[in-house]
Amino acid sequence: MNEELTERLRAAAEAHQPDRARILARVERGTSGASARRREPSGARPWPRVALASLTVVGTLAVGGFAVAAIVQSPPARPEVSATPAAPSAPSAPSGSPRSTPSTPSAPATGSPTTPDRSSPTSPSPSASGPAGSARPDSAHVQDGPLSSAGALGANSNNFWAQSNITVKSTQPLTALTVELRITQTGAVQSTGSWRTLPAEDFTVTVQSEGGAVVYRWILKPGRTVPAGQHVFAGQYNHAAGAREAEQDGYRVDANGHRGAFSVWGGFTPAR
């Protein structure tokens, strides 16, 4: 039995209203006809027959009503459901799940600078004497082949802060260069920065405390070239109150060019 037939029967059952008077009239006609056809003795009572006919009609109506009620109350047919459950889909990762993040290597400590290999043919080779920090203006070695240098306190230095400038000149391009500035720790010396006139991305710069001095190093990166010309490297720092005494400060420059290795060193003249 499809849904359309069920709906029609339900609508018919709800709209049906039994006609009591009509039913009673039919019962009376039936009983009177039976009496006419078959006369009972005057002393017999017709009530058993009337009662039996009434019960028959009532039973018929009851059975019909129950059938209609059963049809009306019966739930609509449901679609068949497969007995085999569908395979669950793979759960997606929750939005809050942590994700692994590659660790970023930390920058090397200030106290562990990268020092070029002096034995390499492309690395500057130091001279047997004149290391930075021991040079004085009167014992300086400021010229070596195409390479020359000069050291001086910046004119903007004052009683609490100073800038030491190293001027490097070369008449030919340099394929390797290391500039070292040593500021002797005479009290409250602390770096406040550095700069150079050459491109910053061409150099690795370190600042560290070493041997009783604050040491600045500018190292030319592999594959980079310093053009011929004049270039300035400067270290800036705080110091104890009073004019900066630069007699104990020094610098050293090691370079390589097409004609070999060169080294110069010296001290700093007072600010002018």
Side-chain angles (χ1 to χ4, degrees):
M1 184 179 297
N2 54 28
E3 293 185 2
E4 182 180 359
L5 179 59
T6 301
E7 291 296 332
R8 289 184 180 182
L9 291 176
R10 183 182 292 109
E14 291 177 354
H16 175 72
Q17 295 182 357
D19 191 348
R20 181 181 180 82
R22 187 175 180 181
I23 293 174
L24 292 178
R26 292 182 61 184
V27 171
E28 290 180 359
R29 285 198 302 271
T31 55
S32 61
S35 299
R37 289 192 302 270
R38 187 184 297 174
R39 294 287 185 177
E40 293 289 339
S42 58
R45 297 181 177 180
W47 295 111
R49 295 181 180 179
V50 174
L52 180 59
S54 299
L55 291 175
T56 301
V57 173
V58 172
T60 302
L61 291 176
V63 172
F66 287 141
V68 172
I71 293 173
V72 172
Q73 295 178 2
S74 61
R78 298 180 179 179
E80 294 184 359
V81 180
S82 175
T84 304
S89 59
S92 59
S95 58
S97 299
R99 298 181 178 180
S100 59
T101 303
S103 59
T104 303
S106 58
T110 304
S112 302
T114 302
T115 303
D117 183 4
R118 301 293 188 179
S119 62
S120 173
T122 59
S123 300
S125 58
S127 176
S129 62
S134 66
R136 301 290 186 271
D138 57 354
S139 62
H141 178 66
V142 297
Q143 180 77 44
D144 187 6
L147 187 68
S148 62
S149 64
L153 282 177
N156 54 348
S157 300
N158 55 51
N159 288 336
F160 302 94
W161 179 90
Q163 175 176 296
S164 295
N165 300 328
I166 305 171
T167 301
V168 178
K169 296 180 182 180
S170 179
T171 59
Q172 68 178 45
L174 302 175
T175 57
L177 177 65
T178 298
V179 179
E180 180 179 295
L181 166 64
R182 299 182 70 91
I183 305 300
T184 303
Q185 182 60 263
T186 55
V189 174
Q190 183 177 9
S191 173
T192 60
S194 67
W195 56 269
R196 89 271 84 225
T197 55
L198 290 167
E201 61 271 17
D202 287 353
F203 288 85
T204 299
V205 183
T206 62
V207 182
Q208 66 182 36
S209 294
E210 180 181 303
V214 175
V215 180
Y216 299 75
R217 286 190 180 92
W218 295 266
I219 303 174
L220 185 66
K221 294 180 179 179
R224 309 298 174 92
T225 302
V226 175
Q230 177 175 301
H231 315 290
V232 178
F233 297 81
Q236 300 170 328
Y237 49 93
N238 292 327
H239 57 78
R244 176 62 186 171
E245 299 294 338
E247 289 80 2
Q248 300 181 48
D249 301 338
Y251 71 88
R252 181 184 181 89
V253 180
D254 295 314
N256 272 8
H258 298 299
R259 291 166 51 187
F262 316 98
S263 295
V264 292
W265 59 87
F268 295 89
T269 59
R272 297 176 181 178

